[in-house]
Amino acid sequence: MEPEELAVKLAEVDARSKSNTHRLDEMGEKVDTLQRLTSAVEVMAAEQKHQSSTMEEIKTDVTNLGRKVDAIEKKPAKRWDG
């Protein structure tokens, strides 16, 4: 190869190298963003799981309170019937 051809090839390789470096930097930023998003989704899933179990406890408590209220409301009626 002639020195001029080598110089042209070297310039092309250098330009491609700069372009690839720029693209890799952009991909690095996107990967960081994706990792932050994944972490946020994991936290949200954990919170939702906790809220689901809390809601089940609340439903059980409300059901128990409803039974107690029913029993209290029936008590005067039993006395009246007696």
Side-chain angles (χ1 to χ4, degrees):
M1 274 192 156
E2 295 295 318
E4 295 83 21
E5 292 175 334
L6 288 175
V8 169
K9 287 288 185 185
L10 181 61
E12 289 174 357
V13 170
D14 188 46
R16 184 177 296 155
S17 173
K18 288 178 183 177
S19 174
N20 289 342
T21 300
H22 178 70
R23 291 173 59 199
L24 285 172
D25 290 344
E26 287 179 359
M27 290 304 296
E29 292 172 9
K30 290 178 181 180
V31 167
D32 291 342
T33 301
L34 184 58
Q35 286 175 336
R36 286 193 306 273
L37 178 62
T38 302
S39 296
V41 169
E42 287 175 353
V43 169
M44 288 172 46
E47 288 177 3
Q48 185 177 10
K49 185 176 180 180
H50 175 71
Q51 287 177 353
S52 293
S53 63
T54 302
M55 289 301 295
E56 290 300 320
E57 292 172 10
I58 291 171
K59 287 178 185 177
T60 302
D61 290 346
V62 168
T63 301
N64 290 339
L65 285 173
R67 288 182 187 140
K68 290 178 181 179
V69 168
D70 287 343
I72 290 170
E73 287 176 343
K74 289 178 183 177
K75 196 170 190 177
K78 286 181 183 177
R79 287 185 190 157
W80 184 261
D81 287 342

